[in-house]
Coordinates of all heavy atoms in Angstrom, one line a residue:
M1 N -35.9 250.6 198.5 CA -36.5 251.6 197.6 C -37.8 252.1 198.0 O -38.8 251.9 197.3 CB -36.6 251.0 196.3 CG -35.8 251.2 195.1 SD -35.3 252.5 194.2 CE -33.6 252.3 194.5
D2 N -37.9 252.6 199.1 CA -39.2 253.0 199.7 C -39.8 254.2 199.0 O -41.0 254.5 199.0 CB -39.0 253.4 201.2 CG -38.6 252.1 201.9 OD1 -39.0 251.0 201.6 OD2 -38.0 252.3 203.0
S3 N -39.0 255.0 198.2 CA -39.5 256.2 197.6 C -40.1 256.0 196.2 O -40.6 256.9 195.6 CB -38.4 257.3 197.5 OG -37.4 256.8 196.7
L4 N -40.1 254.7 195.7 CA -40.7 254.5 194.4 C -42.2 254.6 194.6 O -42.8 254.1 195.4 CB -40.4 253.1 193.9 CG -39.1 252.9 193.2 CD1 -38.9 251.4 192.8 CD2 -39.0 253.7 191.9
P5 N -42.8 255.3 193.6 CA -44.3 255.4 193.6 C -44.9 254.0 193.4 O -44.2 253.1 193.1 CB -44.6 256.4 192.5 CG -43.4 256.5 191.6 CD -42.2 256.0 192.5
N6 N -46.1 253.9 193.6 CA -46.8 252.7 193.5 C -46.9 252.3 191.9 O -47.8 252.7 191.2 CB -48.3 252.8 194.0 CG -48.9 251.4 194.0 OD1 -48.3 250.4 193.9 ND2 -50.2 251.4 194.3
I7 N -45.9 251.6 191.5 CA -45.7 251.2 190.1 C -46.0 249.7 190.0 O -45.5 248.9 190.7 CB -44.3 251.6 189.6 CG1 -44.0 253.0 189.7 CG2 -44.1 251.0 188.2 CD1 -42.6 253.4 189.4
D8 N -46.8 249.4 188.9 CA -47.1 248.0 188.7 C -46.1 247.3 187.8 O -46.3 247.2 186.6 CB -48.5 247.9 188.1 CG -49.0 246.4 188.0 OD1 -48.2 245.5 188.4 OD2 -50.2 246.2 187.7
F9 N -45.0 247.0 188.4 CA -43.8 246.3 187.7 C -44.3 245.0 187.0 O -43.8 244.7 186.0 CB -42.6 246.2 188.5 CG -41.9 247.5 188.8 CD1 -41.9 248.0 190.1 CD2 -41.1 248.1 187.9 CE1 -41.3 249.1 190.4 CE2 -40.5 249.3 188.1 CZ -40.6 249.9 189.4
E10 N -45.1 244.3 187.7 CA -45.6 243.0 187.2 C -46.3 243.2 185.8 O -46.1 242.4 184.9 CB -46.5 242.3 188.2 CG -46.7 240.9 188.0 CD -45.4 240.1 188.1 OE1 -44.5 240.4 188.9 OE2 -45.3 239.0 187.4
A11 N -47.2 244.2 185.8 CA -47.8 244.4 184.5 C -46.9 244.9 183.4 O -47.0 244.4 182.3 CB -48.9 245.5 184.7
M12 N -45.9 245.6 183.8 CA -44.8 246.1 182.8 C -44.1 244.9 182.3 O -43.8 244.7 181.2 CB -43.9 247.1 183.5 CG -44.5 248.4 183.8 SD -43.2 249.4 184.6 CE -44.1 250.9 185.0
K13 N -43.7 244.0 183.3 CA -43.0 242.8 182.9 C -43.7 241.9 182.0 O -43.1 241.2 181.1 CB -42.6 242.1 184.2 CG -41.7 240.8 184.0 CD -41.2 240.3 185.3 CE -42.3 239.7 186.1 NZ -41.7 239.0 187.3
N14 N -45.0 241.9 182.1 CA -45.8 241.0 181.3 C -46.2 241.5 179.9 O -47.0 240.8 179.2 CB -47.1 240.6 182.1 CG -46.8 239.7 183.3 OD1 -45.8 238.9 183.3 ND2 -47.5 239.9 184.3
I15 N -45.8 242.6 179.5 CA -46.0 243.1 178.2 C -45.5 242.1 177.1 O -44.4 241.6 177.3 CB -45.3 244.5 178.0 CG1 -45.8 245.5 178.8 CG2 -45.3 244.9 176.5 CD1 -47.2 246.0 178.5
D16 N -46.3 241.9 176.2 CA -46.0 240.9 175.1 C -45.3 241.6 174.0 O -45.9 242.5 173.3 CB -47.2 240.2 174.6 CG -46.9 239.1 173.6 OD1 -45.8 239.0 173.0 OD2 -47.8 238.2 173.4
I17 N -44.0 241.4 173.8 CA -43.2 242.0 172.8 C -43.8 241.8 171.4 O -43.6 242.6 170.5 CB -41.7 241.6 172.8 CG1 -40.8 242.6 172.0 CG2 -41.6 240.2 172.5 CD1 -39.4 242.4 172.2
R18 N -44.5 240.7 171.1 CA -45.1 240.4 169.8 C -46.2 241.2 169.5 O -46.6 241.4 168.3 CB -45.4 238.9 169.7 CG -44.2 238.0 169.9 CD -44.6 236.6 170.1 NE -45.3 236.6 171.4 CZ -45.8 235.5 172.0 NH1 -45.7 234.3 171.3 NH2 -46.5 235.5 173.1
T19 N -46.9 241.7 170.5 CA -48.1 242.6 170.3 C -48.1 244.0 170.6 O -49.0 244.8 170.3 CB -49.3 241.9 171.0 OG1 -49.0 241.9 172.4 CG2 -49.5 240.5 170.4
V20 N -46.9 244.4 171.3 CA -46.9 245.8 171.8 C -46.7 246.7 170.6 O -46.0 246.4 169.6 CB -45.7 246.0 172.8 CG1 -44.3 245.8 172.1 CG2 -45.8 247.3 173.5
N21 N -47.3 247.9 170.6 CA -47.2 248.9 169.6 C -45.9 249.7 169.8 O -45.8 250.3 170.8 CB -48.4 249.8 169.6 CG -48.3 250.9 168.5 OD1 -47.3 251.1 167.9 ND2 -49.4 251.6 168.4
P22 N -44.9 249.5 168.9 CA -43.7 250.2 169.1 C -43.8 251.7 169.3 O -43.0 252.4 169.9 CB -42.8 249.8 167.8 CG -43.5 248.6 167.3 CD -45.0 248.7 167.7
D23 N -44.8 252.2 168.7 CA -45.0 253.8 168.8 C -45.4 254.2 170.2 O -45.3 255.3 170.5 CB -46.1 254.2 167.8 CG -45.8 254.0 166.4 OD1 -44.5 254.0 166.0 OD2 -46.6 253.8 165.5
T24 N -45.7 253.2 171.0 CA -46.1 253.5 172.4 C -44.9 253.4 173.3 O -45.0 253.9 174.5 CB -47.2 252.6 172.9 OG1 -46.7 251.3 173.0 CG2 -48.5 252.7 172.1
L25 N -43.8 253.0 172.8 CA -42.6 252.8 173.6 C -41.6 253.9 173.6 O -41.6 254.6 172.5 CB -41.8 251.5 173.2 CG -42.6 250.2 173.2 CD1 -41.8 249.0 172.7 CD2 -43.1 249.9 174.7
V26 N -40.9 254.2 174.6 CA -39.9 255.2 174.7 C -38.6 254.7 174.2 O -38.2 253.5 174.5 CB -39.7 255.6 176.2 CG1 -38.6 256.7 176.3 CG2 -41.1 256.3 176.7
D27 N -37.8 255.5 173.4 CA -36.5 255.1 172.9 C -35.5 255.4 174.1 O -35.4 256.5 174.5 CB -36.1 255.9 171.7 CG -34.9 255.4 171.0 OD1 -34.0 255.0 171.7 OD2 -34.9 255.4 169.7
I28 N -34.8 254.4 174.5 CA -33.8 254.6 175.5 C -32.8 255.6 175.1 O -32.1 256.2 176.1 CB -33.2 253.2 176.0 CG1 -32.5 253.3 177.3 CG2 -32.2 252.7 174.8 CD1 -32.2 252.0 178.0
N29 N -32.5 255.8 173.9 CA -31.5 256.8 173.4 C -32.0 258.2 173.8 O -31.2 259.1 173.8 CB -31.3 256.7 172.0 CG -30.6 255.4 171.6 OD1 -29.6 255.0 172.2 ND2 -31.1 254.7 170.6
D30 N -33.3 258.4 174.1 CA -33.8 259.7 174.5 C -33.8 259.9 176.0 O -34.2 261.0 176.4 CB -35.3 259.8 173.9 CG -35.3 259.8 172.4 OD1 -34.3 260.1 171.7 OD2 -36.4 259.4 171.9
T31 N -33.4 259.0 176.7 CA -33.3 259.2 178.2 C -31.9 259.7 178.5 O -31.0 259.4 178.0 CB -33.5 257.8 179.0 OG1 -32.5 257.0 178.6 CG2 -34.9 257.3 178.6
K32 N -31.9 260.6 179.5 CA -30.7 261.2 180.1 C -30.8 261.1 181.6 O -31.7 261.7 182.2 CB -30.7 262.7 179.7 CG -30.8 262.9 178.2 CD -29.5 262.7 177.5 CE -29.5 263.1 176.0 NZ -30.0 262.1 175.1
V33 N -29.9 260.3 182.2 CA -29.9 260.2 183.6 C -28.8 261.1 184.2 O -27.7 261.0 183.8 CB -29.7 258.7 184.0 CG1 -29.5 258.5 185.5 CG2 -30.7 257.8 183.5
N34 N -29.2 261.8 185.2 CA -28.2 262.7 185.8 C -27.4 261.9 186.9 O -27.9 261.5 187.9 CB -28.9 263.9 186.5 CG -28.0 264.8 187.2 OD1 -26.8 264.6 187.4 ND2 -28.5 265.9 187.6
A35 N -26.1 261.6 186.5 CA -25.3 260.8 187.4 C -24.9 261.4 188.7 O -24.5 260.8 189.6 CB -24.0 260.4 186.7
K36 N -25.3 262.7 188.9 CA -25.0 263.4 190.1 C -26.1 263.2 191.1 O -25.9 263.5 192.3 CB -24.8 264.9 189.8 CG -23.5 265.2 189.0 CD -23.3 266.6 188.7 CE -22.1 266.8 187.8 NZ -21.9 268.2 187.5
L37 N -27.2 262.7 190.7 CA -28.3 262.5 191.6 C -28.0 261.3 192.5 O -27.3 260.4 192.1 CB -29.6 262.2 190.8 CG -30.2 263.4 190.1 CD1 -31.4 262.9 189.3 CD2 -30.7 264.5 191.0
P38 N -28.6 261.3 193.7 CA -28.5 260.1 194.6 C -29.1 258.9 193.8 O -30.0 259.0 192.9 CB -29.3 260.4 195.8 CG -29.4 261.9 195.8 CD -29.3 262.3 194.4
I39 N -28.7 257.7 194.1 CA -29.1 256.5 193.4 C -30.6 256.3 193.3 O -31.2 256.0 192.2 CB -28.4 255.2 193.9 CG1 -28.7 254.0 193.0 CG2 -28.9 254.9 195.3 CD1 -28.1 254.1 191.7
E40 N -31.3 256.6 194.4 CA -32.8 256.4 194.3 C -33.4 257.4 193.4 O -34.3 257.1 192.7 CB -33.4 256.5 195.7 CG -33.1 255.2 196.5 CD -33.9 255.2 197.8 OE1 -34.9 256.0 198.0 OE2 -33.7 254.3 198.6
E41 N -32.9 258.6 193.4 CA -33.5 259.7 192.5 C -33.1 259.3 191.0 O -33.9 259.6 190.1 CB -32.9 261.0 192.9 CG -33.5 261.5 194.2 CD -33.0 262.9 194.6 OE1 -32.8 263.7 193.7 OE2 -32.8 263.1 195.8
R42 N -31.9 258.7 190.8 CA -31.6 258.3 189.4 C -32.5 257.2 188.9 O -33.0 257.3 187.7 CB -30.2 257.8 189.4 CG -29.1 258.8 189.3 CD -27.8 258.2 189.1 NE -27.1 258.1 190.4 CZ -26.0 257.5 190.7 NH1 -25.4 256.8 189.7 NH2 -25.6 257.4 191.9
I43 N -32.9 256.3 189.8 CA -33.8 255.2 189.4 C -35.2 255.8 189.1 O -35.8 255.5 188.0 CB -33.8 254.1 190.5 CG1 -32.5 253.4 190.6 CG2 -35.0 253.2 190.2 CD1 -32.4 252.5 191.8
L44 N -35.7 256.7 189.9 CA -36.9 257.3 189.7 C -37.0 258.1 188.5 O -37.9 258.0 187.6 CB -37.3 258.2 190.9 CG -37.9 257.6 192.1 CD1 -38.0 258.6 193.3 CD2 -39.2 257.0 191.8
D45 N -35.9 258.8 188.2 CA -35.8 259.7 187.0 C -35.8 258.8 185.8 O -36.5 259.0 184.8 CB -34.5 260.5 187.1 CG -34.4 261.5 185.9 OD1 -35.4 262.1 185.5 OD2 -33.3 261.6 185.3
F46 N -35.0 257.7 185.8 CA -35.0 256.8 184.7 C -36.4 256.1 184.4 O -36.8 256.1 183.3 CB -33.9 255.7 184.9 CG -33.9 254.7 183.8 CD1 -33.3 255.0 182.6 CD2 -34.4 253.5 183.9 CE1 -33.3 254.2 181.5 CE2 -34.4 252.5 182.9 CZ -33.8 252.9 181.7
I47 N -37.0 255.7 185.5 CA -38.3 255.0 185.3 C -39.3 256.0 184.8 O -40.2 255.7 183.9 CB -38.7 254.4 186.6 CG1 -37.9 253.1 186.9 CG2 -40.2 253.9 186.5 CD1 -38.1 252.5 188.2
Q48 N -39.3 257.3 185.3 CA -40.2 258.3 184.8 C -40.0 258.5 183.3 O -41.0 258.8 182.5 CB -40.1 259.6 185.6 CG -40.6 259.4 187.0 CD -40.4 260.6 187.9 OE1 -39.4 261.4 187.6 NE2 -41.0 260.7 189.0
Q49 N -38.8 258.5 182.9 CA -38.4 258.8 181.5 C -38.8 257.6 180.5 O -39.4 257.8 179.5 CB -37.0 259.2 181.3 CG -36.6 260.5 181.9 CD -35.1 260.7 181.6 OE1 -34.6 260.7 180.5 NE2 -34.3 260.8 182.8
I50 N -38.4 256.4 180.9 CA -38.5 255.2 180.1 C -39.9 254.6 180.2 O -40.3 253.9 179.2 CB -37.5 254.1 180.4 CG1 -37.2 253.2 179.3 CG2 -37.8 253.4 181.7 CD1 -36.5 253.7 178.1
K51 N -40.7 255.0 181.2 CA -42.0 254.5 181.3 C -42.1 253.0 181.7 O -42.8 252.6 182.6 CB -43.0 254.8 180.1 CG -43.0 256.2 179.7 CD -43.5 257.1 180.7 CE -43.6 258.5 180.2 NZ -43.2 259.5 181.1
N52 N -41.5 252.2 180.9 CA -41.5 250.7 181.2 C -40.1 250.2 181.0 O -39.6 250.0 179.9 CB -42.4 250.0 180.3 CG -42.5 248.5 180.6 OD1 -41.7 248.0 181.3 ND2 -43.5 247.8 180.0
P53 N -39.4 250.0 182.1 CA -38.0 249.5 182.1 C -37.8 248.0 181.6 O -36.7 247.6 181.3 CB -37.5 249.6 183.5 CG -38.7 249.5 184.4 CD -39.8 250.2 183.6
Y54 N -39.0 247.3 181.4 CA -38.9 246.0 180.9 C -39.0 246.0 179.4 O -38.7 245.0 178.7 CB -40.0 245.2 181.5 CG -39.8 244.8 183.0 CD1 -40.5 245.4 183.9 CD2 -38.9 243.7 183.3 CE1 -40.3 245.0 185.3 CE2 -38.7 243.3 184.6 CZ -39.4 244.0 185.6 OH -39.3 243.7 186.9
C55 N -39.6 247.0 178.8 CA -39.9 247.0 177.4 C -39.8 248.4 176.8 O -40.6 249.3 177.3 CB -41.3 246.4 177.1 SG -41.7 246.0 175.4
Y56 N -38.9 248.6 175.9 CA -38.7 250.0 175.4 C -38.1 249.8 174.0 O -37.8 248.7 173.5 CB -37.8 250.8 176.3 CG -36.5 250.0 176.7 CD1 -35.4 250.0 175.9 CD2 -36.5 249.3 177.9 CE1 -34.3 249.3 176.3 CE2 -35.3 248.6 178.2 CZ -34.2 248.6 177.5 OH -33.0 247.9 177.8
K57 N -37.7 250.9 173.4 CA -37.1 250.9 172.0 C -35.6 251.3 172.2 O -35.3 252.0 173.1 CB -37.7 251.7 171.0 CG -39.1 251.4 170.6 CD -39.6 252.2 169.5 CE -39.9 253.7 169.9 NZ -40.6 254.4 168.9
C58 N -34.8 250.7 171.3 CA -33.4 251.3 171.1 C -33.3 251.5 169.6 O -33.2 250.5 168.8 CB -32.4 250.2 171.6 SG -30.7 250.9 171.5
G59 N -33.5 252.7 169.2 CA -33.7 253.0 167.8 C -35.0 252.4 167.3 O -36.0 252.7 167.8
K60 N -34.9 251.6 166.3 CA -36.1 250.9 165.7 C -36.3 249.6 166.3 O -37.3 248.9 165.9 CB -36.0 250.8 164.2 CG -36.0 252.3 163.5 CD -36.0 252.1 162.0 CE -36.0 253.5 161.4 NZ -36.1 253.5 159.9
V61 N -35.5 249.1 167.2 CA -35.6 247.8 167.8 C -36.3 247.8 169.1 O -36.0 248.6 170.0 CB -34.2 247.2 168.0 CG1 -34.2 245.8 168.7 CG2 -33.4 247.1 166.7
V62 N -37.3 246.9 169.2 CA -38.1 246.8 170.4 C -37.2 245.9 171.3 O -36.8 244.8 170.9 CB -39.5 246.2 170.2 CG1 -40.2 246.0 171.5 CG2 -40.3 247.2 169.4
V63 N -37.0 246.3 172.6 CA -36.2 245.5 173.6 C -37.1 245.1 174.7 O -37.9 245.9 175.2 CB -35.1 246.4 174.1 CG1 -34.3 245.6 175.2 CG2 -34.2 246.9 173.0
K64 N -37.0 243.8 175.1 CA -37.7 243.3 176.2 C -36.7 242.6 177.0 O -35.9 241.8 176.6 CB -38.8 242.3 175.7 CG -39.4 241.4 176.8 CD -40.5 242.2 177.5 CE -41.1 241.4 178.6 NZ -42.5 241.0 178.5
I65 N -36.6 243.0 178.3 CA -35.6 242.4 179.2 C -36.3 241.6 180.3 O -37.5 241.9 180.7 CB -34.7 243.5 179.9 CG1 -35.5 244.5 180.7 CG2 -33.9 244.3 178.8 CD1 -34.6 245.3 181.6
S66 N -35.6 240.6 180.8 CA -36.1 239.8 182.0 C -34.9 239.4 182.8 O -33.8 239.5 182.3 CB -36.9 238.6 181.5 OG -36.1 237.8 180.7
F67 N -35.1 239.0 184.0 CA -34.1 238.5 184.9 C -34.4 237.2 185.4 O -35.6 236.7 185.4 CB -34.1 239.5 186.1 CG -33.9 240.9 185.7 CD1 -34.9 241.8 185.7 CD2 -32.6 241.3 185.3 CE1 -34.7 243.1 185.4 CE2 -32.4 242.6 185.0 CZ -33.5 243.5 185.0
N68 N -33.4 236.4 185.7 CA -33.5 235.0 186.2 C -34.0 235.2 187.6 O -34.1 236.2 188.2 CB -32.3 234.1 186.0 CG -31.2 234.7 186.9 OD1 -31.3 235.6 187.7 ND2 -29.9 234.2 186.5
D69 N -34.4 234.0 188.2 CA -34.9 234.0 189.6 C -33.8 234.0 190.6 O -33.7 233.1 191.5 CB -35.9 232.8 189.7 CG -37.2 233.0 189.1 OD1 -37.5 234.2 188.9 OD2 -37.8 232.0 188.7
S70 N -32.8 234.9 190.5 CA -31.7 234.9 191.4 C -32.1 235.6 192.8 O -31.3 235.6 193.7 CB -30.5 235.7 190.8 OG -30.9 237.1 190.7
G71 N -33.3 236.2 192.8 CA -33.7 236.9 194.0 C -33.5 238.4 193.9 O -34.0 239.1 194.7
A72 N -32.8 238.8 192.9 CA -32.6 240.3 192.7 C -33.8 240.9 192.1 O -34.5 240.3 191.2 CB -31.4 240.5 191.8
T73 N -34.2 242.0 192.5 CA -35.4 242.7 192.0 C -35.0 243.6 190.9 O -33.8 243.9 190.7 CB -36.1 243.6 193.2 OG1 -35.2 244.6 193.6 CG2 -36.4 242.7 194.3
L74 N -36.0 244.2 190.2 CA -35.7 245.2 189.2 C -35.0 246.4 189.8 O -34.1 246.9 189.3 CB -37.0 245.7 188.5 CG -36.8 246.8 187.5 CD1 -36.0 246.4 186.4 CD2 -38.2 247.3 187.0
E75 N -35.5 246.7 191.0 CA -34.8 247.9 191.7 C -33.3 247.5 192.0 O -32.5 248.4 191.8 CB -35.5 248.2 193.0 CG -36.9 248.8 192.9 CD -38.0 247.7 192.7 OE1 -37.7 246.5 192.7 OE2 -39.2 248.1 192.4
D76 N -33.0 246.4 192.4 CA -31.6 245.9 192.6 C -30.8 246.1 191.3 O -29.7 246.6 191.2 CB -31.5 244.5 193.1 CG -32.1 244.3 194.4 OD1 -32.2 245.2 195.2 OD2 -32.5 243.1 194.7
R77 N -31.4 245.6 190.2 CA -30.7 245.6 188.9 C -30.5 247.1 188.4 O -29.5 247.5 187.9 CB -31.5 244.8 187.8 CG -31.7 243.4 188.2 CD -30.3 242.7 188.1 NE -30.5 241.2 188.3 CZ -29.6 240.4 188.6 NH1 -28.3 240.7 188.7 NH2 -29.9 239.1 188.7
M78 N -31.6 247.9 188.6 CA -31.5 249.3 188.2 C -30.4 250.0 189.0 O -29.7 250.8 188.5 CB -32.8 250.0 188.4 CG -34.0 249.6 187.5 SD -33.5 250.0 185.8 CE -33.3 251.7 185.9
E79 N -30.4 249.8 190.3 CA -29.4 250.4 191.1 C -28.0 250.0 190.6 O -27.1 250.8 190.5 CB -29.6 250.0 192.6 CG -28.6 250.7 193.5 CD -28.9 250.4 195.0 OE1 -30.0 250.0 195.3 OE2 -28.0 250.6 195.8
S80 N -27.8 248.8 190.3 CA -26.5 248.2 189.9 C -26.1 248.9 188.5 O -25.0 249.4 188.3 CB -26.5 246.7 189.8 OG -25.3 246.3 189.2
F81 N -27.1 249.0 187.6 CA -26.9 249.6 186.3 C -26.5 251.0 186.5 O -25.6 251.5 185.8 CB -28.2 249.4 185.5 CG -28.1 250.2 184.2 CD1 -27.3 249.7 183.1 CD2 -28.9 251.3 184.0 CE1 -27.3 250.5 182.0 CE2 -28.9 252.0 182.8 CZ -28.1 251.6 181.8
L82 N -27.3 251.8 187.3 CA -27.1 253.2 187.4 C -25.8 253.6 188.2 O -25.2 254.6 188.0 CB -28.3 253.9 188.0 CG -29.5 253.8 187.1 CD1 -30.8 254.3 187.8 CD2 -29.4 254.6 185.9
R83 N -25.4 252.7 189.0 CA -24.1 252.9 189.7 C -23.0 252.9 188.8 O -21.9 253.6 189.0 CB -23.9 251.9 190.8 CG -24.7 252.0 192.1 CD -24.3 251.2 193.1 NE -25.1 251.1 194.3 CZ -25.1 252.0 195.2 NH1 -24.3 253.0 195.2 NH2 -26.0 251.9 196.2
M84 N -23.1 252.2 187.7 CA -22.0 252.1 186.7 C -21.9 253.5 185.8 O -21.0 253.7 185.1 CB -22.2 251.0 185.7 CG -22.1 249.6 186.4 SD -22.1 248.2 185.3 CE -23.8 248.2 184.8
M85 N -23.0 254.3 185.9 CA -23.0 255.5 185.1 C -22.2 256.6 185.7 O -22.1 256.8 186.8 CB -24.4 256.0 184.8 CG -25.2 255.0 184.1 SD -26.9 255.5 183.9 CE -26.9 255.7 182.1

């Protein structure tokens, strides 16, 4: 994923769900990913829309995601997720 801009995923990952202001989060229901775009462009588009792929809202619920230490990166997971769309 060489085309991803310089994004601080570590800072995004470290957001504390207990103290984050829900009004600052994007609702995932408001994102629209164009499945016709190449995978890297889909990932970029999604990240630009969601702002923080680790912490967002789904309706009124604040969602925080994390991954185990399997060696897969967020980019790997995003690519897998967006391939299913």
Side-chain angles (χ1 to χ4, degrees):
M1 252 310 115
D2 296 332
S3 62
L4 273 178
N6 190 13
I7 298 173
D8 189 354
F9 287 109
E10 197 63 32
M12 291 178 185
K13 182 171 68 171
N14 291 327
I15 294 290
D16 187 341
I17 193 171
R18 297 166 297 182
T19 59
V20 69
N21 179 350
D23 295 332
T24 64
L25 302 176
V26 174
D27 191 322
I28 197 164
N29 295 312
D30 296 333
T31 63
K32 306 281 187 270
V33 177
N34 181 349
K36 294 179 182 178
L37 291 173
I39 188 69
E40 286 192 10
E41 289 179 37
R42 277 186 265 171
I43 293 170
L44 279 172
D45 183 43
F46 178 74
I47 291 173
Q48 288 170 344
Q49 290 180 60
I50 200 73
K51 307 296 184 224
N52 183 345
Y54 288 102
C55 191
Y56 51 85
K57 290 188 295 191
C58 184
K60 294 184 179 184
V61 177
V62 175
V63 177
K64 171 80 184 243
I65 63 169
S66 61
F67 303 103
N68 62 14
D69 288 333
S70 67
T73 65
L74 175 63
E75 291 85 0
D76 295 335
R77 300 294 186 193
M78 290 295 304
E79 183 174 341
S80 175
F81 172 72
L82 293 172
R83 284 189 191 280
M84 293 187 291
M85 299 180 114

